[in-house]
Amino acid sequence: QVQLVESGGGLVQAGDSLRLSCAALGRTFSMYSAGWFRQAPGKEREFVAGISRNGGYTAYADSVKGRFTISRDNAKNSVYLEMINLKPEDAADYYCAALMRTYPPEDPRQYTDWGQGTQVTVSP
């Protein structure tokens, strides 16, 4: 298993930007693909973005394409989510997840390791 710790959430206004970080502790993170998920109150956890082990493949939910960018630095055992032009509907708790697989699935049930989450609030 790998321990994941997210940071970077906060309160912003619509149109602002935020960068979320996820630090992996424990095993070699380059063995894991990773994903970012979010969950708003009363809603199910949803896929936001995913990245392959070596960072060569990325995937995004349609709702964030063109605004969010996922990246990773395996030398720093970290994954990032750059978010621009934030909208009120982006407000949620954001979670980093990982699994020992080459490519990141969109189904959260397939992930084996999760962070504690970081809250993103977007005011109109």
Side-chain angles (χ1 to χ4, degrees):
Q1 287 188 332
V2 61
Q3 182 181 355
L4 303 172
V5 181
E6 302 98 332
S7 61
L11 171 63
V12 298
Q13 293 185 328
D16 284 352
S17 301
L18 269 180
R19 187 190 196 213
L20 304 183
S21 298
C22 173
L25 309 175
R27 293 197 174 188
T28 304
F29 196 46
S30 60
M31 298 172 63
Y32 292 77
S33 62
W36 283 98
F37 292 80
R38 66 187 181 187
Q39 187 167 18
K43 295 187 177 181
E44 293 186 353
R45 190 167 298 190
E46 64 174 356
F47 173 80
V48 175
I51 190 165
S52 61
R53 287 178 176 175
N54 66 359
Y57 169 85
T58 57
Y60 298 92
D62 288 342
S63 58
V64 306
K65 281 181 181 177
R67 300 188 299 119
F68 290 14
T69 302
I70 188 171
S71 62
R72 68 189 297 161
D73 185 341
N74 285 340
K76 295 183 178 180
N77 279 359
S78 294
V79 175
Y80 310 98
L81 186 68
E82 190 78 39
M83 306 183 291
I84 65 170
N85 191 22
L86 282 160
K87 304 176 181 180
E89 51 264 41
D90 294 318
D93 291 327
Y94 282 72
Y95 298 88
C96 177
L99 77 164
M100 201 175 291
R101 190 182 296 181
T102 301
Y103 295 101
E106 295 188 11
D107 184 353
R109 295 171 296 180
Q110 298 187 41
Y111 286 80
T112 56
D113 302 284
W114 290 85
Q116 82 289 348
T118 185
Q119 188 174 53
V120 173
T121 304
V122 184
S123 62

